[in-house]
């Protein structure tokens, strides 16, 4: 089921609610939170299908992506507003609590929800992301210069064929060298994303969104929601030791590593990533169970 969700005056998000395909009569929901400037359709169908064997799966387009409202210049916002959108999507689907899965900036948004609305989160899984406030530390590397140079052209005007070529080249840079890169896999993905949005331009709105309110890394130690941090060793944006730093910073964080994974969900990592997420969502005692044992919580 697809629907539009009102999250702010003049701002609507496209969202999709996919029913579970397994035998559980009351499957717990999973909300997928994608990275910066990326539509919810970047979540591969193969991964969504694996998760749907056990869960109701909800994915959505951030503001200024996909079929959601594109109006940053008229309605500027902060990254923290995108975190509030996560909760607004749960509200729209009458979901009191869900398992959250966040990639890249989506992992940042999940961390903010863990701090500000922990009761809405059963478990969390984040990957290809950094701890809140983590950048700027001499012990945590920044993205390489060649990737930063590529990002300088993120919002350059291009015709549709040139934009498609740029996006494939970008995915190649993000994927790293740990697994073979299939350009046609990502060309097909981006053709679908462009068709879904009905436009090929990219205003890079999330790169312009205000960064205020993100320096909250010290608060992560108080997070009691079980959180899995998936380490992608070939990730050029948030390479090790970012993932280990985040796992240690969280009150109930744990770390798993998917060999060869970069900053992309390639066909080769779908199976291990799905297995890691499902282990977290189906076998991990939830924060609700912990809270039930502690009436003061």
């Amino acid at each position: 089921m697809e629907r539009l969700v009102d999250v702010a005056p003049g701002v609507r998000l496209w969202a999709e609610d996919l029913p579970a395909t397994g035998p559980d009569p009351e499957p717990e929901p999973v909300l997928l939170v994608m990275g910066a400037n990326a539509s919810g359709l970047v979540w591969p169908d193969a991964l969504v299908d694996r998760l749907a064997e056990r869960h109701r799966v909800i994915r959505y387009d951030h503001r200024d992506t996909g079929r959601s409202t594109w109006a940053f210049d008229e309605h500027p916002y902060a990254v923290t507003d995108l975190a509030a959108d996560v909760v607004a999507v749960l509200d729209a689907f009458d979901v009191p609590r869900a398992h959250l899965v966040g990639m890249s900036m989506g992992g940042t948004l999940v961390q903010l929800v863990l701090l500000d609305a922990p009761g809405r989160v059963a478990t969390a899984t984040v990957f290809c992301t950094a701890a809140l406030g983590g950048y700027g530390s001499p012990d945590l590397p920044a993205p390489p210069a060649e990737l930063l140079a590529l990002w300088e052209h993120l919002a350059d005007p291009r015709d549709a064929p040139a934009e498609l070529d740029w996006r494939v080249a970008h995915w190649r840079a993000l994927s790293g060298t740990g697994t073979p890169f299939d350009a046609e896999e990502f060309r097909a993905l981006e053709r679908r994303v462009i068709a879904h949005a009905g436009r090929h331009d990219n205003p890079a709105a999330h790169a312009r969104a205000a960064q205020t309110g993100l320096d909250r890394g010290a608060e992560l130690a108080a997070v009691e929601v079980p959180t899995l941090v998936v380490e992608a060793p070939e990730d050029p944006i948030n390479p090790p030791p970012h993932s280990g730093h985040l796992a240690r910073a969280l009150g109930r964080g744990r770390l798993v590593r998917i060999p060869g994974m970069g900053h992309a969900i390639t066909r080769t990592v779908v199976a291990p990533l799905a297995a890691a997420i499902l282990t977290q969502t189906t076998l991990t005692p939830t924060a609700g169970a912990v809270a039930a044992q502690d009436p003061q919580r």
Side-chain angles (χ1 to χ4, degrees), residues 110-171:
V110 169
Q111 291 176 64
L112 290 170
V113 176
L114 287 170
L115 294 179
D116 294 333
R120 307 301 297 272
V121 190
T123 69
T125 301
V126 297
F127 58 99
C128 298
T129 196
L132 292 172
Y135 286 118
S137 167
D139 299 323
L140 297 172
E146 54 269 26
L147 189 56
L148 295 175
L150 190 61
W151 286 346
E152 290 180 1
H153 302 284
L154 181 65
D156 286 359
R158 290 178 280 265
D159 62 20
E163 176 65 19
L164 188 59
D165 288 343
W166 191 93
R167 293 188 189 189
V168 173
H170 187 218
W171 280 119

Side-chain angles (χ1 to χ4, degrees), residues 133-213:
Y135 286 118
S137 167
D139 299 323
L140 297 172
E146 54 269 26
L147 189 56
L148 295 175
L150 190 61
W151 286 346
E152 290 180 1
H153 302 284
L154 181 65
D156 286 359
R158 290 178 280 265
D159 62 20
E163 176 65 19
L164 188 59
D165 288 343
W166 191 93
R167 293 188 189 189
V168 173
H170 187 218
W171 280 119
R172 185 186 296 275
L174 294 181
S175 296
T177 59
T179 59
F181 179 76
D182 184 350
E184 289 310 308
E185 175 186 353
F186 286 94
R187 189 171 295 274
L189 167 67
E190 289 299 341
R191 284 197 182 104
R192 185 181 175 203
V193 167
I194 289 170
H196 171 70
R199 55 192 292 176
H200 71 273
D201 58 318
N202 184 352
H206 300 161
R208 295 185 285 150
Q211 304 288 309
T212 52

